[in-house]
Amino acid sequence: MPSEAHTVAAPSLLLLLLHLSSVVPATADNGEGVPVVSTAGGKVRGTVQYTNDLPNKPVYTFKGIPYAAPPVGDLRFRAPQPAAPWEGVRDASAVGPHCPQDPGFFAFWPTKLPHNDTDEDCLTLSVETPRLEKDAKLPVLLWIHGGGLSVGVGYFVPFTSLSAHQDVVVVTFNYRIGALGFFSTGDENAPGNFGFLDQVRDSGNGLGPGEQMIRNFGGDPDLVTIFGESAGGSSVCYQVASPLSKGLFQRAISQSGGCQSIDVNPKPLERAVTLAEDLGCDVKDTAAMVDCLRKKPADDFAPAVQRMIMTLAAQGHMFAFPPVVDGAFLPAHPHELFDANQANPVDYLLGANNHEYGYIFTSYMVPGYEQGMTEDTFVMMLRMLVGRLYPGGNQDSMVAALRQVYRDDENPDDPMAILKQFTFAYGDQWYMAPTVLVANKLAGVGQRVYLYENQYGPSHLTANRPDWVGCDHADDVYIVPGMAFIDVFFRDGGLIPFSTDDKKVTLDMMAFWGNFARTG
Ligand SMILES: *[C@@H]1O[C@H](CO)[C@@H](O)[C@H](O)[C@H]1NC(C)=O
């Protein structure tokens, strides 16, 4: 600290420090604990964070850095464009707005978020790194958030623990979701997959032209692992399949999401027409339709998608705007690309939790969860599953075959036993089976694939659900970022408690992920 600073009062000292850092040229850490780094877009000033268990290990944190031009106006429904550079030093101490989405997400997401603000101008990223020297060459982990490609936020908690404990650079970011991210007319007027293009391809979110950016934050652009959970895991699967993403990352981790967990929609135009009609746009030709939709307020899309979901859910569909075969990002269904050995040659770690439908989804979907499920309801749910996956097949025989597999022979008619079988059937169809399928396909063509099953749920969650529930969907989201070693609050206050076991498993999981990023 400069000696003259001792003579000024605290608030002005802060101002002075800020002023000093803004005139310091792009250096790593100017000695005031206020790091300034150069990026392709300009300089950014971050903050320094610490985990609770490593008080001497700074993690330099930069939030809300634009990585693409705001995807608004004429840029809506188009591939991301480069961000405009800025003058001077940009404040990177706060997370940018989330992408527009159903506000229900903010009432549902269990941990306290930095804020609840959304804006279509949402393509920003955050970086956490323990080193700032250009030659540090640390492994880089790029987190792709979940939320069905329709809700969710990039920076939902700091990844400070993973960064500090594993000496890795962690990048989190928002990508376009819902109709704004995946609307498709099935032709060149709105090819779709815009959210996937945001994730790794273009404009410097750590990859591609962002190579320079990774280097300036201590990362090695040739040692990038993309990782994500749920729809983030599915996104990773699609990125592994896409020829446009070739060479942009070396390793990949899918936590609870194969490609088929959010399968491609073979008929995007039908959904496009439904949305356009709902929003009062003419649907006779797709160019005019897209033109009209570009003029609608961004906040009109999520409610319209919600209205579509009401109808789609009755047919077993969970997603209104899933990925599409657009001929560029995705030249064919990802499974065809895998079978033809056209996947990107990366090390791939993928897996799922052992009870993906154990609690969160099922207790929400099934009224009277505590009392179990009737045979009729189970058969109806199996019928929906089969109808969605095999619309042309012999549904009666498939349902009967499934009921044979998903049966508790000792208590075939017990409602609790039936409910349990439902949780296994649905967990398998949405998460485990798509994951195993991808692993088998890639192993079959000689790719380096590692498959895991996660059995550990954090104690504050397992304490509040029945004993028969195993590791539920998203349990790993508390563990992998290392929440046990930072202060994370419940949505409406109260510190989330973590047990000794939670901490031990967290250290192990972070080491597994860190080692994979380092060595494959
Ligand atoms: C976000 O919204 C939810 C739901 O209304 C609320 O419970 C939560 O406190 C809000 N969080 C913040 C940071 O404002």
Side-chain angles (χ1 to χ4, degrees):
M1 194 178 289
S3 54
E4 65 270 26
H6 289 293
T7 61
V8 299
S12 33
L13 170 61
L14 251 181
L15 285 176
L16 175 63
L17 289 179
L18 289 173
H19 174 71
L20 282 177
S21 65
S22 67
V23 296
V24 172
T27 58
D29 183 338
N30 63 14
E32 310 301 334
V34 184
V36 174
V37 165
S38 290
T39 76
K43 289 171 192 159
V44 287
R45 182 191 303 109
T47 58
V48 186
Q49 309 293 326
Y50 298 87
T51 65
N52 294 333
D53 62 328
L54 300 175
N56 298 316
K57 177 125 194 195
V59 172
Y60 306 100
T61 301
F62 304 84
K63 301 176 193 168
I65 307 173
Y67 69 84
V72 304
D74 189 55
L75 292 186
R76 185 185 284 172
F77 307 132
R78 291 192 203 280
Q81 302 299 311
W86 56 88
E87 299 284 315
V89 183
R90 188 186 169 95
D91 174 41
S93 63
V95 182
H98 314 308
C99 292
Q101 57 191 282
D102 176 6
F105 173 77
F106 300 108
F108 166 84
W109 184 256
T111 66
K112 191 163 198 71
L113 296 171
H115 61 74
N116 285 345
D117 307 330
T118 61
D119 195 299
E120 192 175 17
D121 178 3
C122 60
L123 298 185
T124 58
L125 62 80
S126 300
V127 186
E128 292 175 87
T129 178
R131 306 263 302 273
L132 287 170
E133 307 87 70
K134 279 198 177 61
D135 58 357
K137 292 212 161 189
L138 300 181
V140 179
L141 280 141
L142 189 100
W143 172 256
I144 305 181
H145 73 75
L149 303 180
S150 42
V151 295
V153 310
Y155 189 98
F156 65 100
V157 288
F159 277 70
T160 318
S161 293
L162 184 59
S163 180
H165 281 267
Q166 290 302 315
D167 272 318
V168 293
V169 180
V170 182
V171 181
T172 57
F173 62 94
N174 299 326
Y175 55 93
R176 281 173 283 174
I177 47 181
L180 295 170
F182 291 88
F183 176 84
S184 171
T185 49
D187 61 17
E188 72 283 359
N189 288 311
N193 298 337
F194 312 109
F196 283 161
L197 296 176
D198 294 341
Q199 287 175 356
V200 304
R201 191 173 72 108
D202 263 320
S203 342
N205 53 341
L207 301 176
E211 179 168 302
Q212 175 208 351
M213 165 147 177
I214 289 183
R215 225 185 275 285
N216 291 357
F217 289 98
D220 182 348
D222 298 320
L223 201 56
V224 176
T225 299
I226 58 172
F227 72 134
E229 186 269 346
S230 197
S234 301
S235 296
V236 167
C237 185
Y238 281 96
Q239 297 294 352
V240 168
S242 174
L244 293 189
S245 304
K246 190 174 165 63
L248 296 182
F249 55 91
Q250 287 68 44
R251 302 195 169 110
I253 305 176
S254 285
Q255 302 169 213
S256 305
C259 286
Q260 221 182 19
S261 304
I262 305 190
D263 212 345
V264 300
N265 176 7
K267 292 180 187 164
L269 185 58
E270 284 177 10
R271 303 268 175 96
V273 165
T274 308
L275 181 82
E277 282 175 340
D278 182 297
L279 291 177
C281 287
D282 193 3
V283 298
K284 277 196 287 295
D285 91 286
T286 55
M289 188 200 305
V290 174
D291 200 43
C292 170
L293 286 172
R294 283 206 176 98
K295 299 192 171 90
K296 298 290 173 190
D299 287 338
D300 287 3
F301 288 89
V305 170
Q306 279 310 106
R307 291 189 284 274
M308 288 177 67
I309 289 281
M310 295 293 178
T311 314
L312 291 167
Q315 300 149 22
H317 296 283
M318 271 170 67
F319 311 106
F321 291 98
V324 294
V325 173
D326 61 359
F329 179 84
L330 211 57
H333 191 287
H335 288 177
E336 286 175 35
L337 299 171
F338 294 161
D339 287 340
N341 202 8
Q342 285 170 18
N344 295 317
V346 297
D347 303 317
Y348 197 3
L349 170 64
L350 67 173
N353 299 339
N354 72 348
H355 212 167
E356 294 277 0
Y357 255 72
Y359 188 72
I360 293 197
F361 289 131
T362 306
S363 63
Y364 180 77
M365 280 169 62
V366 180
Y369 169 92
E370 291 76 14
Q371 281 77 54
M373 182 180 269
T374 64
E375 177 72 23
D376 284 352
T377 305
F378 189 20
V379 168
M380 184 195 76
M381 298 306 283
L382 289 177
R383 206 168 277 288
M384 239 156 75
L385 181 168
V386 162
R388 181 180 67 84
L389 287 175
Y390 308 99
N394 180 338
Q395 313 218 334
D396 287 339
S397 73
M398 284 191 280
V399 168
L402 277 175
R403 187 66 183 98
Q404 278 309 116
V405 175
Y406 293 99
R407 169 182 300 276
D408 180 340
D409 287 329
E410 276 159 31
N411 301 298
D413 306 318
D414 172 45
M416 281 317 293
I418 292 175
L419 178 75
K420 232 188 266 190
Q421 295 300 318
F422 164 79
T423 64
F424 296 143
Y426 263 55
D428 285 352
Q429 72 144 337
W430 284 113
Y431 300 105
M432 194 59 95
T435 298
V436 173
L437 193 59
V438 167
N440 281 338
K441 282 179 183 297
L442 291 176
V445 293
Q447 294 244 15
R448 298 221 304 171
V449 180
Y450 305 88
L451 188 62
Y452 75 83
E453 180 193 79
N454 178 19
Q455 305 179 345
Y456 189 82
S459 58
H460 80 277
L461 293 176
T462 54
N464 291 309
R465 58 197 191 204
D467 288 343
W468 56 269
V469 175
C471 184
D472 196 15
H473 191 64
D475 279 1
D476 46 321
V477 161
Y478 293 83
I479 304 290
V480 168
M483 288 193 207
F485 301 107
I486 56 172
D487 292 344
V488 180
F489 294 86
F490 290 111
R491 182 175 54 239
D492 288 313
L495 197 58
I496 301 184
F498 288 94
S499 68
T500 307
D501 279 349
D502 292 338
K503 291 180 178 166
K504 187 181 167 305
V505 175
T506 297
L507 289 175
D508 285 344
M509 290 273 287
M510 293 196 301
F512 300 156
W513 266 227
N515 288 339
F516 183 74
R518 255 184 301 280
T519 68

